Amino acid sequence: MCNLHKTISTRVLSAPRAKAKFEQTTIERRELQPNDVLIDIKYSGICHSDIHSAYDEWGGGIFPMVPGHEIAGIVKAVGTSVKKFAVGDRVGVGCFVDSCGECEYCQSGEEQFCTKGVIQTYNCLDYDGNPTYGGYSQYIVVKEDFVVRIPDSLNLDVASPLLCAGITTYSPLKHWNAGPGKKVAVVGMGGLGHVAIQFAHAMGAEVTVLSRSLNKQEEALRFGADHYFATGDPAVFTELAGRFDLILNTVSANLDVDAYLSLLRADGTLVNVGAPAERDQYSVFSLIMGRRSIAGSLVGGIRETQEMLDFAAEHGLAPQIEVIGADQVDEAYERVLKSDVRYRFVIDVSTL
């Protein structure tokens, strides 16, 4: 039981150090403040960035670490000033849990670019200097402004990955105007890619999947892809040269960037949402000769995240998931690295 007038004890999965096996332990969440929401977490998705962070591949890891920024659950309690949510509401928490609220980006609903520094859901120091702990946890306490509502038509387990994989792909597709008359290529048919296909198709774009082999072709077409090509065949790059308005790169491995830039039309854009540990390389002539652009995209703000969830519910879009128990997370990490998942792992937090 949690005492709402004191810190809140919660069971978690914690990585004691980089690349260590997860341990079930207990942490204390902060006392519920007037603008806080206490969430009873039901499901927490596993994102590839969880693995990068828990393995400290990007550096700066804060250990012990409780990953997880794809959080779906039920409101258990609210602070005295909370207006947006009530006990029993179905809610989610994504990649960040606080921002300054005052800078131009926060004011425009793009808190992810907060000039003071957005506070990530885990592996981050809050403004008061305390480390943040994520969704591999029984409970979490979050300011109401960083909580989103999960539509009734979305099951909580399926909604969970949308809090990262969903907004990570929806935001750039919307920003770069994927829609009718646009030819969009999605690089990678994994946890991000299979969601991107669904969003791009629902937006009205002509969607092509570029994957290493043909072994996921039928699934890609089922998700809404119009075309599918295996990039292991060099002839594909000749056949598709100059075809796409937008390429969304969802993979976390280094690519031959020049080869993919050659697939863009004039004024086309290659947008990266996957984040490899090593630096990419490319020739500037690949940009100059076609007035092409190379870009990156993080996630969307809270307002856009809610918009994405509503869009997914309206169009019946959902990640394909495999629900696992808390004792399977280490194995799940290994399987993600082997691309042995269709297509996102989701932790059933009741098994903690």
Side-chain angles (χ1 to χ4, degrees), residues 18-331:
K19 297 186 178 181
K21 299 293 185 182
F22 279 98
E23 299 176 351
Q24 293 197 28
T25 185
T26 300
I27 64 169
E28 297 296 317
R29 298 290 190 182
R30 70 171 181 263
E31 179 183 357
L32 201 67
Q33 300 299 308
N35 294 310
D36 282 342
V37 175
L38 172 63
I39 300 170
D40 183 358
I41 300 174
K42 300 302 182 183
Y43 297 96
S44 185
I46 293 178
C47 178
H48 204 135
S49 60
D50 295 350
I51 302 175
H52 286 305
S53 298
Y55 287 7
D56 205 21
E57 292 176 342
W58 292 335
I62 302 172
F63 294 92
M65 182 186 298
V66 179
H69 56 209
E70 299 178 342
I71 300 168
I74 304 294
V75 175
K76 185 175 181 64
V78 297
T80 55
S81 298
V82 170
K83 305 295 185 183
K84 301 176 183 177
F85 302 100
V87 172
D89 284 350
R90 306 165 79 252
V91 295
V93 177
C95 297
F96 47 89
V97 292
D98 204 0
S99 69
C100 77
E102 300 174 351
C103 71
E104 59 177 310
Y105 300 113
C106 290
Q107 290 292 307
S108 64
E110 293 192 312
E111 300 92 344
Q112 70 273 27
F113 303 129
C114 176
T115 57
K116 185 177 180 180
V118 70
I119 302 301
Q120 298 172 11
T121 305
Y122 72 90
N123 194 34
C124 188
L125 294 179
D126 206 338
Y127 293 139
D128 61 9
N130 291 318
T132 58
Y133 299 110
Y136 298 8
S137 172
Q138 183 183 19
Y139 297 118
I140 191 168
V141 177
V142 182
K143 290 183 178 179
E144 70 168 326
D145 287 342
F146 293 85
V147 178
V148 290
R149 189 177 303 277
I150 295 176
D152 290 340
S153 62
L154 289 175
N155 291 336
L156 291 179
D157 55 354
V158 168
S160 170
L162 292 175
L163 277 304
C164 178
I167 190 59
T168 296
T169 53
Y170 179 89
S171 185
L173 288 168
K174 181 186 174 187
H175 182 81
W176 275 275
N177 301 310
K182 294 295 182 72
K183 294 183 177 181
V184 174
V186 176
V187 181
M189 179 61 189
L192 291 174
H194 88 290
V195 177
I197 295 165
Q198 296 180 65
F199 279 132
H201 174 74
M203 291 174 179
E206 180 180 323
V207 185
T208 298
V209 174
L210 303 175
S211 189
R212 288 176 295 179
S213 69
L214 294 173
N215 65 357
K216 298 179 180 178
Q217 183 172 6
E218 289 187 9
E219 291 167 279
L221 298 177
R222 177 166 54 83
F223 287 127
D226 299 287
H227 314 285
Y228 188 106
F229 292 89
T231 55
D233 179 2
V236 163
F237 289 90
T238 301
E239 180 180 353
L240 300 181
R243 177 172 295 195
F244 302 110
D245 300 287
L246 174 66
I247 299 175
L248 187 65
N249 175 23
T250 71
V251 301
S252 295
N254 296 96
L255 302 177
D256 182 345
V257 178
D258 293 298
Y260 284 88
L261 289 171
S262 75
L263 304 182
L264 291 170
R265 295 166 49 85
D267 292 321
T269 304
L270 168 64
V271 181
N272 295 285
V273 294
E278 303 298 325
R279 293 185 178 185
D280 277 330
Q281 294 184 338
Y282 63 92
S283 168
V284 71
F285 287 102
S286 296
L287 304 176
I288 290 173
M289 301 308 292
R291 201 165 61 190
R292 302 179 179 110
S293 300
I294 187 168
S297 181
L298 186 59
V299 291
I302 298 300
R303 184 169 58 204
E304 190 174 48
T305 301
Q306 185 66 64
E307 176 187 304
M308 175 274 304
L309 287 170
D310 295 339
F311 183 90
E314 177 185 354
H315 292 274
L317 310 182
Q320 184 172 318
I321 64 172
E322 181 177 335
V323 178
I324 62 171
D327 60 349
Q328 297 174 280
V329 172
D330 291 305
E331 177 189 353

